[in-house]
Amino acid sequence: MATLALVGVACVTHAAERPERQQSVAAAGDYWIAAGDQGARKILAFDPAATDWNSSGAVKWSWQATTGHGFSGDEAAATGLIADFKLRDRPSGAQSFVVADGRGLAAVVDYPSGTRQWAKIISGNLHSAELLPDGNIALAASDGGWVRVYAASQGASAGSYAQFDLVQAHATLWDPAIRRLWVIGDDARTGAHILTALVVGGTAAKPTLEEDTARRATLPTAGGHDVYSYAHDANKLWVSTGSAAYLYDKTTKTFGTPAAANRAAVKSIGNQPSGQIVQTRPDSAKTPPGACTDDTWCTDTVEFHSPDATRTRTGAAFYKARVWTPYYSVVDRPLRGTLWDRTRGADGTWSASAAEVDDGATLGSASAAALPDGSLHAFTVVPGSGVWERTRSASGGWSSATQIDSNGSVSRVAAATTPDGVLHLASLVPGSGIWYKTRSTGGTWSSSTKIDGNGAISGLSMTALPNGTMQLADVVPDSGVWVKTRSAAGTWSSATKVDDDTAVTDVALAALPDGTVQLADVVPGGGIWARTRSAAGTWSAAGHIDTNGWITAVSLAALPDGTVQLADVVPGSGVWVKTRGTGGTWSSATKVDGNGSVLAVCTAGLPDGTLHLGTVPDLS
């Protein structure tokens, strides 16, 4: 728009797979198309298979900021230039959409009810909005010259925010594959037209923003406008500028120009699972000009390419149109990296390099557990497919992967081995809870049983004690860390809260030979805190063992000599390891892997005193 005179152990977490709400679509698996009609001050979701978008049957859902939806009169009045909107999943399993309006309204709204969850009137000509995984909202303001993250998770009108200065900021896109916020605009110092990614740090209540400079790229043409996910490859992004539309490759940092999409003045761009491209361009930029003359940026038509088609709503003033899906890629999950294994010998020496264990670049979570016979079992989640297992023999050879759970909604796993050689696996299904199964010493897996029905759980870890009992810890957002016990006879207790820090995002457990248990959790912006459970079952107070606020993931492994190894991820830096000695003192951290793209880690100690470190680097 023009300037106005008036935005654990398990290695990776994913959103849950859920039944689609959109049914009538142009091609199997395609979604509705949502368009912001600035004239009507509404978002309308259309069936792309309907050829006449003026018919009532073509409109499948609509929304407007009204007092009936919980907005104040001033908030409702601060609409009319709907600039951006995106549908997203929330950790609870519900869905919300975000809105940015050039007249000032920024909002997080329940979907499909349309009820206000958070809103503020913000000056600066809002151009883009994005919902972050913690419930906060990212906004870009072109006149304001900034990208901000507001702490929307903290209340319906929470006003605290973090800011990153970016001249002519036009786009915000959360990338779950690399856990970065893509933005587009002009460098405040040099004036260069850039696409870059921001690290969202701090806590949900006090977020921070910092550029991941390694991901910065200079745009081929001026006037950066839209950035959106490409449905068929999570390593690519749609990018539009004033004069062209591109497919950007994150790895090579190159801008391709697909003929079907490369047009000037593209205000929004995306594509359906079927491959069809969805675009909007102002009618004033078309030859001959289109019918919308309300301003220089509106159109009454959404364009489709490959195959080509148009859909027109008479009298509409669209600015952007979005494929109305909460997902990032065609597989309904962001793709991740491959699984790598690095070894620390009993003498403390790390192997020179990591070995690739699984080259399928779709892994969503991983965990590992060692058996008394010296073998190592790695468990990986393939989003949409389920849980797969592969075994490293005592002699060092890895087997091929075998599917042990076909539930494609599993998002995280945690594994442990009891002294009798039985493997135990806990699987997290967002919106459902934790499911549990065992593998006998003969190699047979049991069926899964639900052991925790809390659908809000976002992380978990599990460990086995020398007496055959087990501890399972889980993270409940906005609540803290809860632990439950499995007796040697196989009965699970109810969960007990052991940490009431509501900001915890990841947790790890390790049981020592003396019957004590170590627990470590990650607090964004605060680092790592650890506590001990005595052999008698009493938990100590937490101690601050690492103040690095950028740590995002943690894993623990106990070794036969009574030491504990802690591995953590610092995005952009790599993987760091520290040791807790038998006297209870933690060493300083040492970098063992300089791959700054590692998303997470998992660890396991073998009976011979060696340690295995599993890493999942991102797509780049």
mmCIF file of all heavy atoms in Angstrom, residues 276-292:
data_model
loop_
_atom_site.group_PDB
_atom_site.id
_atom_site.type_symbol
_atom_site.label_atom_id
_atom_site.label_comp_id
_atom_site.label_asym_id
_atom_site.label_seq_id
_atom_site.Cartn_x
_atom_site.Cartn_y
_atom_site.Cartn_z
ATOM 1 N N GLN A 276 -0.592 -24.960 -8.026
ATOM 2 C CA GLN A 276 -1.134 -23.737 -8.607
ATOM 3 C C GLN A 276 -0.700 -22.518 -7.803
ATOM 4 O O GLN A 276 -0.776 -22.492 -6.575
ATOM 5 C CB GLN A 276 -2.659 -23.804 -8.671
ATOM 6 C CG GLN A 276 -3.274 -22.676 -9.477
ATOM 7 C CD GLN A 276 -4.761 -22.869 -9.686
ATOM 8 O OE1 GLN A 276 -5.493 -23.169 -8.745
ATOM 9 N NE2 GLN A 276 -5.225 -22.725 -10.916
ATOM 10 N N ILE A 277 -0.230 -21.486 -8.519
ATOM 11 C CA ILE A 277 0.263 -20.260 -7.902
ATOM 12 C C ILE A 277 -0.896 -19.281 -7.722
ATOM 13 O O ILE A 277 -1.773 -19.160 -8.584
ATOM 14 C CB ILE A 277 1.365 -19.634 -8.773
ATOM 15 C CG1 ILE A 277 2.546 -20.607 -8.909
ATOM 16 C CG2 ILE A 277 1.847 -18.313 -8.182
ATOM 17 C CD1 ILE A 277 3.518 -20.232 -10.002
ATOM 18 N N VAL A 278 -0.896 -18.590 -6.595
ATOM 19 C CA VAL A 278 -1.937 -17.618 -6.268
ATOM 20 C C VAL A 278 -1.268 -16.256 -6.093
ATOM 21 O O VAL A 278 -0.343 -16.121 -5.288
ATOM 22 C CB VAL A 278 -2.677 -18.010 -4.979
ATOM 23 C CG1 VAL A 278 -3.791 -17.012 -4.683
ATOM 24 C CG2 VAL A 278 -3.235 -19.428 -5.085
ATOM 25 N N GLN A 279 -1.723 -15.244 -6.837
ATOM 26 C CA GLN A 279 -1.116 -13.925 -6.801
ATOM 27 C C GLN A 279 -2.180 -12.833 -6.761
ATOM 28 O O GLN A 279 -3.305 -13.030 -7.230
ATOM 29 C CB GLN A 279 -0.267 -13.664 -8.052
ATOM 30 C CG GLN A 279 1.056 -14.343 -8.130
ATOM 31 C CD GLN A 279 1.831 -13.920 -9.379
ATOM 32 O OE1 GLN A 279 1.247 -13.502 -10.374
ATOM 33 N NE2 GLN A 279 3.139 -14.042 -9.326
ATOM 34 N N THR A 280 -1.797 -11.677 -6.230
ATOM 35 C CA THR A 280 -2.558 -10.452 -6.444
ATOM 36 C C THR A 280 -1.633 -9.376 -6.970
ATOM 37 O O THR A 280 -0.471 -9.282 -6.550
ATOM 38 C CB THR A 280 -3.236 -9.943 -5.155
ATOM 39 O OG1 THR A 280 -2.252 -9.751 -4.143
ATOM 40 C CG2 THR A 280 -4.297 -10.914 -4.672
ATOM 41 N N ARG A 281 -2.158 -8.582 -7.890
ATOM 42 C CA ARG A 281 -1.459 -7.408 -8.420
ATOM 43 C C ARG A 281 -2.459 -6.265 -8.510
ATOM 44 O O ARG A 281 -3.648 -6.487 -8.771
ATOM 45 C CB ARG A 281 -0.895 -7.685 -9.822
ATOM 46 C CG ARG A 281 0.197 -8.719 -9.892
ATOM 47 C CD ARG A 281 0.719 -8.817 -11.316
ATOM 48 N NE ARG A 281 -0.306 -9.253 -12.255
ATOM 49 C CZ ARG A 281 -0.389 -8.860 -13.528
ATOM 50 N NH1 ARG A 281 0.502 -7.992 -14.011
ATOM 51 N NH2 ARG A 281 -1.338 -9.319 -14.316
ATOM 52 N N PRO A 282 -2.022 -5.023 -8.330
ATOM 53 C CA PRO A 282 -2.953 -3.900 -8.436
ATOM 54 C C PRO A 282 -3.521 -3.777 -9.847
ATOM 55 O O PRO A 282 -2.802 -3.976 -10.840
ATOM 56 C CB PRO A 282 -2.100 -2.684 -8.087
ATOM 57 C CG PRO A 282 -0.815 -3.200 -7.580
ATOM 58 C CD PRO A 282 -0.665 -4.609 -8.007
ATOM 59 N N ASP A 283 -4.792 -3.416 -9.917
ATOM 60 C CA ASP A 283 -5.391 -3.227 -11.235
ATOM 61 C C ASP A 283 -4.743 -2.073 -11.989
ATOM 62 O O ASP A 283 -4.703 -2.053 -13.221
ATOM 63 C CB ASP A 283 -6.894 -2.966 -11.094
ATOM 64 C CG ASP A 283 -7.675 -4.259 -10.843
ATOM 65 O OD1 ASP A 283 -7.052 -5.339 -10.922
ATOM 66 O OD2 ASP A 283 -8.882 -4.184 -10.570
ATOM 67 N N SER A 284 -4.195 -1.110 -11.276
ATOM 68 C CA SER A 284 -3.543 0.026 -11.928
ATOM 69 C C SER A 284 -2.260 -0.374 -12.639
ATOM 70 O O SER A 284 -1.790 0.340 -13.539
ATOM 71 C CB SER A 284 -3.218 1.109 -10.890
ATOM 72 O OG SER A 284 -2.313 0.609 -9.915
ATOM 73 N N ALA A 285 -1.678 -1.547 -12.271
ATOM 74 C CA ALA A 285 -0.420 -1.991 -12.877
ATOM 75 C C ALA A 285 -0.645 -2.935 -14.045
ATOM 76 O O ALA A 285 0.329 -3.382 -14.672
ATOM 77 C CB ALA A 285 0.443 -2.677 -11.822
ATOM 78 N N LYS A 286 -1.895 -3.253 -14.345
ATOM 79 C CA LYS A 286 -2.197 -4.219 -15.405
ATOM 80 C C LYS A 286 -2.416 -3.495 -16.735
ATOM 81 O O LYS A 286 -2.741 -2.313 -16.778
ATOM 82 C CB LYS A 286 -3.445 -5.023 -15.030
ATOM 83 C CG LYS A 286 -3.278 -5.843 -13.764
ATOM 84 C CD LYS A 286 -4.580 -6.500 -13.337
ATOM 85 C CE LYS A 286 -4.416 -7.228 -12.015
ATOM 86 N NZ LYS A 286 -5.699 -7.793 -11.526
ATOM 87 N N THR A 287 -2.224 -4.257 -17.794
ATOM 88 C CA THR A 287 -2.455 -3.728 -19.138
ATOM 89 C C THR A 287 -3.483 -4.603 -19.847
ATOM 90 O O THR A 287 -3.207 -5.760 -20.140
ATOM 91 C CB THR A 287 -1.152 -3.701 -19.963
ATOM 92 O OG1 THR A 287 -0.170 -2.942 -19.243
ATOM 93 C CG2 THR A 287 -1.376 -3.080 -21.324
ATOM 94 N N PRO A 288 -4.693 -4.093 -20.124
ATOM 95 C CA PRO A 288 -5.184 -2.771 -19.715
ATOM 96 C C PRO A 288 -5.483 -2.752 -18.223
ATOM 97 O O PRO A 288 -5.585 -3.812 -17.598
ATOM 98 C CB PRO A 288 -6.467 -2.621 -20.537
ATOM 99 C CG PRO A 288 -6.957 -4.025 -20.720
ATOM 100 C CD PRO A 288 -5.716 -4.869 -20.872
ATOM 101 N N PRO A 289 -5.634 -1.576 -17.613
ATOM 102 C CA PRO A 289 -5.916 -1.502 -16.180
ATOM 103 C C PRO A 289 -7.207 -2.215 -15.822
ATOM 104 O O PRO A 289 -8.144 -2.301 -16.630
ATOM 105 C CB PRO A 289 -6.031 0.011 -15.922
ATOM 106 C CG PRO A 289 -5.260 0.639 -17.032
ATOM 107 C CD PRO A 289 -5.490 -0.256 -18.224
ATOM 108 N N GLY A 290 -7.265 -2.726 -14.592
ATOM 109 C CA GLY A 290 -8.461 -3.400 -14.119
ATOM 110 C C GLY A 290 -9.495 -2.439 -13.586
ATOM 111 O O GLY A 290 -9.353 -1.214 -13.688
ATOM 112 N N ALA A 291 -10.537 -3.014 -12.973
ATOM 113 C CA ALA A 291 -11.707 -2.221 -12.616
ATOM 114 C C ALA A 291 -11.576 -1.482 -11.293
ATOM 115 O O ALA A 291 -12.289 -0.507 -11.056
ATOM 116 C CB ALA A 291 -12.941 -3.129 -12.561
ATOM 117 N N CYS A 292 -10.692 -1.921 -10.381
ATOM 118 C CA CYS A 292 -10.619 -1.291 -9.064
ATOM 119 C C CYS A 292 -9.836 0.014 -9.145
ATOM 120 O O CYS A 292 -8.645 0.017 -9.473
ATOM 121 C CB CYS A 292 -9.976 -2.218 -8.038
ATOM 122 S SG CYS A 292 -10.075 -1.558 -6.350
#
